[in-house]
């Protein structure tokens, strides 16, 4: 078979632990036999991040800015225990956080659904993608415990010398206070990333806040979204999709009664909470993809789960593991499809589609990894180890591509 050609390299970010093992298996079984892979490789494994004082993470983000499409393996975010485990020089920051900050990006999470795994919400027929704003609000707040009577004020001192002051509350006894902020620039980037992604997916996008109560703060989000949407309106109409704004409580009720098949843009806290609810209701973290989209249309694809440490320790002891590679495979297929679209390579797009279809063939025949066995209904599942599962996908992919 002639291998499929690429023109622009993918930015390839390798990672840690079990997902690093899967990364190589996926390349060997499902990519290298079919694609003449052009990639610019960055090793974001913790050892090399430590060796380069995390420069490799910065380099990989810059490469993503240059080429436009990256695929990333899960990586360890070090904590105290990892400091001693890996003998680290420093407690390096989360690579995802660093890359997200450099690309000014928004993360979109989408469940991979199959007919035999039923969502906990019976109305849901199609995936719901959550887009979470990743800056500010309560995540960058300032808090004070008022432990005696007194007056709390909100003060803004402008550089120009203007001053605005409001009384928040006159405390007669103890209480608590919280100050938070966001910036127009960040909200605007979030809005652009959301509308870009909706066009890309050809899916309607919802956004919700509580602007009836928080008239200025949440009202600002609503206004900026409306304003940014003006420049997308025509393209949305052409694509047959909509931008729908409602109140957050109304959105929650509508989501529950919906069939799915749309993108739900959430403020930072709403996204934190709702993404866990939606992903759990769809079934499994191992079946959730994630893509970081920058406001100027750069894409970084990954799995939503982590490095699956518990399985890795078993693997190191020589025990058989049945770790689910689906989300990581879909990170690759998403990146190939996007590269194919940008470079006008129909064969590469077809490969990405067939790779995903081969995964669905395998799952629908009941060949699965252990994590899915108890979730499936209507088919009798057979649990395979990771290697045999990938081999089963390969057989089906070969059939589809020949
Ligand atoms: P995790 O790696 O997602 O694993 C949590 C548990 O979920 C696993 O122990 C496993 O359950 C199940 N699971 C997740 N993915 C699976 C898969 N593909 N196949 C089968 N089961 C799967 O989260 P964690 O244990 O909290 O974090 C481990 C490391 O990953 C940490 O160092 C963290 O910093 C890092 N992390 C990285 C990213 C990222 O790079 N995007 C995201 C999250 C976490 P059972 O053990 O019950 O089988
Ligand atoms: Mg959370």
């Amino acid at each position: 078979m002639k291998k499929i050609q690429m023109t622009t390299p993918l930015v390839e970010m390798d990672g840690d632990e079990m997902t690093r093992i899967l990364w190589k298996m996926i390349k060997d079984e499902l990519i290298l036999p079919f694609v003449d892979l052009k990639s610019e490789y960055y090793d974001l494994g913790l050892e090399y991040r430590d060796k380069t004082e995390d420069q490799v993470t910065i380099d990989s983000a810059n490469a993503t800015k240059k080429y436009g499409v990256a695929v990333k393996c899960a990586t360890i975010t070090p904590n105290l225990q990892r400091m001693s485990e890996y003998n680290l020089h420093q407690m390096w920051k989360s690579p995802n956080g660093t890359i997200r900050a450099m690309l000014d990006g928004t993360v979109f999470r989408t469940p991979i659904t199959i007919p035999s795994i039923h969502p906990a919400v019976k109305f849901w027929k199609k995936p719901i993608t959550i887009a979470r704003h990743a800056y500010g609000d309560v995540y960058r707040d300032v808090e004070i415990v008022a432990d005696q009577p007194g007056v709390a004020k909100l003060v803004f001192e402008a550089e120009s010398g203007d001053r605005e002051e409001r009384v928040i509350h006159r405390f007669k006894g103890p209480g608590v206070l919280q100050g938070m902020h966001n910036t127009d620039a960040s909200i605007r980037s979030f809005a652009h990333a959301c509308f870009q992604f909706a066009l890309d997916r050809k899916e309607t996008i919802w956004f919700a806040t509580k602007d009836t109560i928080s008239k200025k703060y949440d009202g600002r989000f609503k206004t900026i979204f409306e304003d940014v949407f003006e420049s997308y309106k025509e393209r949305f109409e052409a694509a047959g999709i909509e931008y729908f704004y409602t109140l957050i409580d109304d959105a929650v009720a509508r989501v529950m009664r919906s069939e799915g098949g749309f993108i739900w843009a959430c403020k930072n806290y709403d996204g934190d909470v709702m993404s866990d609810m939606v992903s759990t209701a769809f079934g499994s973290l191992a079946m959730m993809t994630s893509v970081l989209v920058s406001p100027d249309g750069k894409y970084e694809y990954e799995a939503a789960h982590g490095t699956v440490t518990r399985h890795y320790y078993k693997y190191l002891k020589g025990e058989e593991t049945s770790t689910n590679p689906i989300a990581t495979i879909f990170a690759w297929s998403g990146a190939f499809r996007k590269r194919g679209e940008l470079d006008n390579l129909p064969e590469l797009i077809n490969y990405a589609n067939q790779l995903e279809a081969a995964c669905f063939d395998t799952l629908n025949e009941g060949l699965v990894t252990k994590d899915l066995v108890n979730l499936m209904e209507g088919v009798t599942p057979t649990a395979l180890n990771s290697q045999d599962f990938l081999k089963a996908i390969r057989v089906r992919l070969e059939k589809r591509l020949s």
Side-chain angles (χ1 to χ4, degrees):
M1 202 189 302
K2 203 173 129 274
K3 287 193 190 180
I4 295 155
Q5 296 298 307
M6 300 176 62
T7 47
T8 315
L10 271 183
V11 178
E12 177 184 350
M13 305 170 178
D14 207 344
D16 287 300
E17 300 194 311
M18 202 58 217
T19 40
R20 188 182 180 96
I21 307 295
L22 288 178
W23 195 258
K24 179 158 191 318
M25 287 184 186
I26 292 168
K27 281 174 74 176
D28 289 344
E29 288 290 343
L30 300 177
I31 298 170
L32 299 177
F34 306 97
V35 180
D36 195 1
L37 179 67
K38 251 194 172 95
S39 77
E40 205 168 283
Y41 180 87
Y42 293 88
D43 184 358
L44 301 197
L46 187 49
E47 278 163 21
Y48 196 65
R49 270 185 277 149
D50 190 50
K51 204 171 150 194
T52 61
E53 311 217 304
D54 212 24
Q55 185 60 40
V56 64
T57 307
I58 293 163
D59 292 345
S60 74
N62 280 324
T64 309
K65 283 185 176 176
K66 178 176 168 193
Y67 292 113
V69 186
V71 57
K72 181 181 171 290
C73 178
T75 47
I76 292 170
T77 299
N79 53 16
L80 268 182
Q81 183 243 319
R82 300 294 196 173
M83 292 284 288
S84 49
E85 185 183 351
Y86 283 83
N87 205 0
L88 300 179
H89 294 99
Q90 211 177 303
M91 203 187 290
W92 306 109
K93 282 192 276 187
S94 145
N96 287 49
T98 302
I99 297 165
R100 192 164 60 211
M102 283 181 68
L103 293 177
D104 188 19
T106 298
V107 174
F108 296 83
R109 286 187 160 195
T110 312
I112 301 159
T113 54
I114 55 172
S116 56
I117 299 181
H118 302 294
V121 179
K122 66 179 179 190
F123 302 112
W124 292 356
K125 303 269 184 295
K126 291 177 239 165
I128 296 168
T129 297
I130 296 268
R132 174 184 170 190
H133 186 208
Y135 177 81
D137 302 351
V138 66
Y139 301 86
R140 293 277 177 107
D141 73 349
V142 180
E143 305 185 351
I144 294 176
V145 174
D147 53 6
Q148 54 185 319
V151 54
K153 293 177 180 174
L154 191 61
V155 181
F156 176 64
E157 286 171 344
E159 280 180 7
S160 68
D162 290 351
R163 193 167 191 282
E164 203 175 336
E165 184 178 311
R166 296 252 188 293
V167 170
I168 299 170
H169 189 67
R170 292 181 195 280
F171 286 95
K172 301 208 166 55
V176 283
L177 276 169
Q178 177 183 56
M180 59 183 196
H181 79 283
N182 221 300
T183 67
D184 283 9
S186 175
I187 301 168
R188 200 166 278 280
S189 290
F190 176 48
H192 276 291
C194 286
F195 293 136
Q196 285 265 2
F197 189 74
L199 277 177
D200 201 49
R201 276 289 182 84
K202 294 198 173 48
E203 277 183 1
T204 283
I205 182 154
W206 298 13
F207 181 48
T209 72
K210 193 73 182 172
D211 68 291
T212 44
I213 300 297
S214 167
K215 291 188 171 65
K216 287 189 179 156
Y217 198 103
D218 279 17
R220 191 78 167 186
F221 279 80
K222 183 186 178 185
T223 311
I224 290 174
F225 262 69
E226 271 168 12
D227 184 44
V228 171
F229 183 62
E230 280 305 310
S231 62
Y232 289 87
K233 219 172 197 161
E234 282 174 15
R235 281 176 284 168
F236 266 54
E237 267 167 25
I241 57 173
E242 279 174 50
Y243 166 53
F244 174 63
Y245 177 86
T246 186
L247 286 171
I248 185 69
D249 33 1
D250 181 49
V252 170
R254 283 172 188 262
V255 164
M256 284 301 169
R257 279 186 271 108
S258 78
E259 275 200 356
F262 56 89
I263 301 153
W264 184 10
C266 293
K267 284 181 62 197
N268 209 348
Y269 174 80
D270 298 337
D272 185 350
V273 178
M274 294 307 164
S275 69
D276 280 355
M277 184 194 72
V278 169
S279 64
T280 307
F282 270 107
S284 165
L285 195 58
M287 296 284 278
M288 181 75 64
T289 60
S290 183
V291 55
L292 177 76
V293 182
S294 75
D296 58 345
K298 314 286 187 222
Y299 293 77
E300 182 235 282
Y301 294 84
E302 63 174 333
H305 60 75
T307 58
V308 211
T309 310
R310 197 182 66 86
H311 296 209
Y312 181 59
Y313 292 157
K314 277 177 73 178
Y315 170 87
L316 288 181
K317 279 192 254 163
E319 292 172 36
E320 194 178 76
T321 58
S322 178
T323 316
N324 190 337
I326 291 286
T328 306
I329 298 173
F330 274 61
W332 277 100
S333 59
F336 280 125
R337 183 182 299 108
K338 177 53 72 184
R339 198 65 272 165
E341 285 166 7
L342 293 173
D343 297 345
N344 194 19
L345 300 170
E347 273 195 64
L348 193 62
I349 297 173
N350 180 55
Y351 162 77
N353 293 339
Q354 297 307 328
L355 175 57
E356 290 179 4
C359 291
F360 286 125
D361 292 346
T362 312
L363 295 168
N364 291 334
E365 284 171 46
L367 303 176
V368 295
T369 43
K370 250 187 195 158
D371 54 303
L372 298 186
V373 165
N374 293 326
L375 299 175
M376 296 186 91
E377 292 173 59
V379 285
T380 313
T382 308
L384 302 177
N385 63 43
S386 304
Q387 188 69 59
D388 289 345
F389 181 62
L390 288 168
K391 284 200 158 71
I393 298 171
R394 178 175 177 167
V395 170
R396 285 151 187 83
L397 179 60
E398 276 169 356
K399 207 187 283 172
R400 283 181 164 271
L401 289 176
S402 67

